[in-house]
Amino acid sequence: MHSSTSVISPAVGGARREAPITALEIGMFLVLLASYALNAMDRQIFPLIAADVRKEFGFSLADTGLLSTIFTLGMAVAGIPTGYLLARLSRKTVLQIGIAIFSLGTLLAAYSYGFADMIVYRAVTGIGEAMQLTVVIAIAASYFARYRATAVGAINFSFGIGAILGPLLGGHLIGVERDWRLPLIVFGVAGFAAMAVIALTVSKRMTENVAATGGRTDQRGATTLWNRNTALLTGMSVIGGLCIYGYLGMYPTFLREHLHYTPSDTGRVMSTFGFGVFASIFGGWLGDRFHPKLVLSASFVGTGLLGFLMFSGPTDMVVQSALSFAWGFVVSGVLYVNLAGYHIKAVHASLTSRATGVFVTTLYGAGAVAGFVIGGIASRFGWSTAGLVQITLLAAVGVGLTLLLHTDRMSLPARKP
């Protein structure tokens, strides 16, 4: 965070003043980010071991793919209920419950008897992940009120770290014992260790902070979730989910089956996406600095153009790697981060948790079917048409929705005189 970052805190006589963020408070936020990086590492493990699981249990390719992505359905189911749960329990309590749920689901998956119980455990991990993500975004948006999108960008940045480290550590663990269960056990236990660290080091003064309701924060946000801007942003989140998980779910298959890349070359191309995600903090800064319509419309234009080029453009590996990096930068680093940030800015600070729940539910709910939809289009009409329809045309719709926003009714930082 910038050294000038501040929060609103009580002063003598009940007045409110701005207090600088201390190194200790930044340290507590880094602990929360580390716990979410562990979440990201956990999420990347199953695709890594999927082939071994399929071989042992005799699952079909379709069943294995479903096991790999079913967590997004769990995230969608948990999003809005988590927002309401946060209205009744402390954020720290809900955060700990979420970590416990995804860690337990990860552990139980290592001891599955077959497809039926494994798919339940995988879906359960998504429920826990949604609870954790919703809380961490709510904490960041409340505590770093003047830099909301930047704080959300830091969360996504930590996801990028976990997405890179998870497969590396998981691959090492598999190599040690030649057992696909070992990474699940290790990461599951690590989740419970993270709960202990959070309990000991993260103060409720940070997690329960609601100081964003005063000071220089402009409270023009809606006092109910049923408002024009939230409705438009919900539609954009659905489009974002279909685009993001259309890429994550089926782009590797496109590279393997259509462009005939080797598995190792496909992995190299996909890894560049993770490095693009590191732009998330910069993407959040863009959202805090520039007009929402400019940031979102430019992001959707970039998404549509990249979707067309990836599925219909050059086949060279270097070019595809560059496009994959650009996708991580534009779509995950800018579009995803600011959709989350503007959902929060669309409402009054008291509705931060519920607005975050709406974002998580809609984006990941759409993500749960994104791979199935783009795969169905590709099987009937070809990959070029699939990319054009599900990414380029949907992104164009996103631009149209962006232009309908009433940004004068959003809760944005008040400008200094």
Side-chain angles (χ1 to χ4, degrees):
M1 288 301 126
H2 303 290
S3 58
S4 61
T5 303
S6 60
V7 295
I8 310 302
S9 61
V12 178
R16 301 179 77 83
R17 64 180 176 82
E18 290 192 356
I21 298 293
T22 66
L24 177 61
E25 291 161 341
I26 292 177
M28 288 190 289
F29 187 54
L30 290 176
V31 170
L32 296 178
L33 294 182
S35 74
Y36 187 59
L38 179 62
N39 178 319
M41 293 164 69
D42 181 89
R43 188 189 298 182
Q44 302 303 312
I45 288 300
F46 195 87
L48 183 69
I49 65 174
D52 300 299
V53 173
R54 183 184 178 210
K55 181 179 179 180
E56 178 169 328
F57 289 95
F59 296 154
S60 68
L61 186 60
D63 286 344
T64 305
L66 183 60
L67 287 169
S68 295
T69 60
I70 193 64
F71 75 91
T72 60
L73 180 60
M75 295 189 78
V77 169
I80 290 178
T82 300
Y84 283 95
L85 189 61
L86 282 166
R88 292 159 176 80
L89 299 175
S90 72
R91 288 171 177 168
K92 188 173 181 179
T93 298
V94 178
L95 173 69
Q96 296 285 59
I97 292 172
I99 296 174
I101 289 174
F102 85 69
S103 299
L104 182 61
T106 299
L107 276 173
L108 290 176
Y111 299 97
S112 299
Y113 290 100
F115 181 82
D117 62 333
M118 187 177 287
I119 198 169
V120 172
Y121 302 145
R122 290 286 299 149
V124 163
T125 64
I127 294 174
E129 289 177 18
M131 294 177 69
Q132 183 190 21
L133 176 60
T134 301
V135 175
V136 174
I137 290 178
I139 292 171
S142 294
Y143 209 78
F144 302 99
R146 288 185 56 80
Y147 303 93
R148 286 171 173 169
T150 306
V152 174
I155 296 170
N156 209 38
F157 182 93
S158 69
F159 174 84
I161 294 175
I164 291 174
L165 293 180
L168 294 176
L169 294 177
H172 175 72
L173 290 171
I174 294 173
V176 171
E177 295 290 338
R178 302 289 182 182
D179 185 357
W180 60 266
R181 293 175 174 83
L182 182 60
L184 296 178
I185 295 171
V186 170
F187 282 99
V189 172
F192 289 104
M195 291 178 61
V197 173
I198 291 172
L200 293 172
T201 63
V202 179
S203 168
K204 282 192 174 182
R205 190 171 69 85
M206 164 172 271
T207 61
E208 314 314 313
N209 179 270
V210 292
T213 57
R216 289 180 181 165
T217 301
D218 184 347
Q219 291 302 305
R220 285 175 294 180
T223 56
T224 173
L225 290 177
W226 300 101
N227 66 85
R228 177 192 181 97
N229 286 334
T230 296
L232 290 169
L233 287 164
T234 296
M236 290 181 232
S237 296
V238 171
I239 292 172
L242 289 170
C243 292
I244 293 170
Y245 281 92
Y247 163 86
L248 290 174
M250 295 304 291
Y251 183 60
T253 301
F254 163 76
L255 294 177
R256 293 286 306 279
E257 296 186 1
H258 187 72
L259 299 188
H260 306 293
Y261 281 22
T262 65
S264 60
D265 286 345
T266 300
R268 293 188 185 97
V269 172
M270 292 302 297
S271 68
T272 62
F273 163 79
F275 288 100
V277 176
F278 285 158
S280 296
I281 295 178
F282 174 70
W285 177 83
L286 290 176
D288 286 328
R289 178 67 179 81
F290 296 101
H291 197 280
K293 289 186 179 181
L294 173 62
V295 174
L296 288 177
S297 60
S299 299
F300 275 120
V301 168
T303 299
L305 178 61
L306 289 170
F308 174 78
L309 290 175
M310 282 191 297
F311 290 100
S312 303
T315 62
D316 182 74
M317 180 178 166
V318 173
V319 176
Q320 287 292 329
S321 296
L323 292 172
S324 188
F325 171 83
W327 180 272
F329 185 105
V330 172
V331 184
S332 188
V334 182
L335 179 61
Y336 173 93
V337 166
N338 286 293
L339 281 174
Y342 292 138
H343 263 284
I344 296 167
K345 294 176 182 181
V347 297
H348 191 273
S350 61
L351 295 174
T352 292
S353 297
R354 294 186 182 184
T356 304
V358 171
F359 165 72
V360 171
T361 293
T362 52
L363 187 135
Y364 288 100
V369 299
F372 175 81
V373 173
I374 196 170
I377 298 173
S379 64
R380 287 176 175 268
F381 305 105
W383 285 105
S384 295
T385 301
L388 179 65
V389 171
Q390 183 156 331
I391 297 179
T392 305
L393 293 184
L394 280 181
V397 175
V399 173
L401 294 178
T402 298
L403 299 178
L404 298 176
L405 286 171
H406 283 178
T407 54
D408 59 321
R409 300 177 185 174
M410 297 177 75
S411 177
L412 301 170
R415 301 296 180 187
K416 294 180 180 180

